[in-house]
Amino acid sequence: MSERKFNVAVAGATGAVGNQMIKCLEERNFPVKSIKLLASARSIGRKLTFRGESIPVEELKEDSFKGVEIALFSAGAGTSLKFAPMAYKDGCAVIDNSSGWRMDPEVPLVVPEVNPHAIAQYTKKGIIANPNCSTIQMVVPLVHIHKKYKIKRIVVSTYQSVSGTGKKAIDELFDQTRALINFLPVERKVYPHRIAFNCLPQIDVFLENDYTKEEMKMVNETRKILEDNSIGVTATTVRVPVFFGHSESINVETYEPIKASDVKDLLRNAPGIKLVDEPKKGLYPLAIDAAGQDLTLVGRIRQDESVPNGINMWIAADNIRKGAATNAVQIAEILGSKYL
Ligand code: A2P
């Protein structure tokens, strides 16, 4: 990175992802000149720490971005839709973690290991969208398979942790688990059913076609990031009682002949990936190992014996880090060093 330093803002700084964004900026030594921490009026009076300094949280307002050069947003789609254009009007580039702008044709949707070149398009609206957490970790290995074998179809089932829903959901799993093991009544506020000791085949709302919004995000975002609308994608997204780390079972069918052993070699040294694939020794990707670090763990790579050209794999990644905050800060690094 160049020596240039940036005035940065984090919108949604008090949330699960926003908080991790602050930590990632710190951990990755992002060249921060000044930092503004923004949230709703509810958070006025709170203080958060950046590089050992206690910084008061400010209310996100129309004029919050004056003098700011890069803003990382994770405060919900409505907030992004409203405030991101205001930020750009004040000369601030926005990296947005919400779903608000992802499918806008004038907004690049970026995973740095996959399509960093798309960042150049940010000038159209001043916004770069961070994809959905489940999509990010899936395309990190699949881009290599697509480049070498051309993907025909992806069938994915997710096992998503509650942290993806935000802080209230983390509390809900904790409280329900504690209540159940103490034979106390269970309260339910965030999810439509009990999440403790259960799996919910619903993430976000149901759409006209009976898929959930999360499932269709995986379909549409994968095609946009891999820049190929011909890829067939079908998804079942499931919330599981895990605090941090999403896991996914992925079946890929390709046009070119594909061998599991070649895929292991292809992915062994690929950027952002750690191959964990010694199943007989009990070594395969686990959410508990994925949590707290930035690599996408890939394993259980094996031939799909039911089709001529297909493989199966199991992957896990930290949904708050690589699935959100780290990916956003990686984008900021490229934006800052190449485009600002
Ligand atoms: P606040 O803590 O003040 O409510 P999470 O996804 O973990 O629930 O976090 C959501 C983040 O988005 C929080 O920082 C929250 O701030 C922020 N947020 C939600 N709604 C707004 C809003 N209307 N304006 C600004 N920040 C918001």
Side-chain angles (χ1 to χ4, degrees), residues 102-147:
R102 287 182 193 148
M103 293 314 295
D104 186 317
E106 296 195 313
V107 172
L109 183 64
V110 175
V111 178
E113 292 87 345
V114 180
N115 61 338
H117 52 269
I119 293 174
Q121 303 300 313
Y122 91 95
T123 48
K124 291 182 183 159
K125 287 222 163 112
I127 302 166
I128 301 163
N130 216 29
N132 172 266
C133 45
S134 306
T135 311
I136 292 179
Q137 69 179 73
M138 180 166 84
V139 295
V140 167
L142 291 195
V143 66
H144 303 286
I145 294 174
H146 190 47
K147 278 188 184 155

Side-chain angles (χ1 to χ4, degrees), residues 10-19 38-44 46 57-61 74-76 78-79 82-83 163-170 320:
V10 177
T14 51
V17 172
N19 228 281
L38 305 164
S40 77
R42 293 181 290 272
S43 293
I44 293 176
R46 280 192 63 185
V57 176
E58 297 173 44
E59 185 183 354
L60 173 59
K61 289 188 185 151
S74 191
T79 310
K82 179 174 171 195
F83 287 98
S163 53
T165 315
K167 273 191 171 157
K168 290 193 188 88
I170 297 174
I320 299 293

Side-chain angles (χ1 to χ4, degrees), residues 91-313:
C92 171
V94 172
I95 300 165
D96 180 33
N97 188 52
S98 83
S99 62
W101 296 97
R102 287 182 193 148
M103 293 314 295
D104 186 317
E106 296 195 313
V107 172
L109 183 64
V110 175
V111 178
E113 292 87 345
V114 180
N115 61 338
H117 52 269
I119 293 174
Q121 303 300 313
Y122 91 95
T123 48
K124 291 182 183 159
K125 287 222 163 112
I127 302 166
I128 301 163
N130 216 29
N132 172 266
C133 45
S134 306
T135 311
I136 292 179
Q137 69 179 73
M138 180 166 84
V139 295
V140 167
L142 291 195
V143 66
H144 303 286
I145 294 174
H146 190 47
K147 278 188 184 155
K148 185 152 182 205
Y149 305 100
K150 190 161 166 55
I151 294 174
K152 188 176 184 181
R153 181 167 184 249
I154 301 163
V155 182
V156 56
S157 298
T158 69
Y159 303 65
Q160 298 182 220
S161 66
V162 296
S163 53
T165 315
K167 273 191 171 157
K168 290 193 188 88
I170 297 174
D171 293 342
E172 179 144 310
L173 175 58
F174 186 84
D175 292 344
Q176 288 184 353
T177 306
R178 189 171 49 188
L180 281 162
I181 59 177
N182 287 293
F183 305 101
L184 295 168
V186 171
E187 262 195 83
R188 190 187 57 67
K189 292 183 207 137
V190 178
Y191 292 118
H193 303 279
R194 196 183 87 198
I195 183 64
F197 306 102
N198 201 8
C199 299
L200 309 180
Q202 176 185 357
I203 298 186
D204 212 330
V205 294
F206 281 98
L207 304 173
E208 273 298 293
N209 63 0
D210 285 344
Y211 282 81
T212 60
K213 210 168 165 186
E214 183 86 350
E215 288 161 349
M216 294 317 292
K217 281 179 194 169
M218 289 195 80
V219 173
N220 299 321
E221 293 180 20
T222 299
R223 290 178 177 156
K224 180 168 175 177
I225 300 162
L226 294 179
E227 296 166 354
D228 188 344
N229 280 330
S230 75
I231 301 175
V233 186
T234 188
T236 304
T237 57
V238 181
R239 190 72 67 189
V240 296
V242 168
F243 285 105
F244 294 97
H246 289 358
S247 304
E248 297 178 7
S249 159
I250 307 173
N251 173 262
V252 191
E253 205 180 334
T254 57
Y255 287 99
E256 299 297 325
I258 186 168
K259 263 175 57 191
S261 56
D262 293 342
V263 172
K264 287 183 198 182
D265 289 338
L266 184 68
L267 300 181
R268 188 163 279 115
N269 297 310
I273 288 177
K274 182 175 179 192
L275 192 72
V276 187
D277 204 0
E278 294 180 79
K280 292 192 177 72
K281 289 188 188 162
L283 295 175
Y284 31 71
L286 295 174
I288 54 171
D289 295 332
Q293 55 86 61
D294 289 322
L295 300 171
T296 297
L297 311 184
V298 181
R300 295 295 324 275
I301 298 173
R302 61 210 189 276
Q303 211 70 34
D304 175 354
E305 294 173 346
S306 70
V307 290
N309 306 321
I311 56 145
N312 285 303
M313 62 171 74

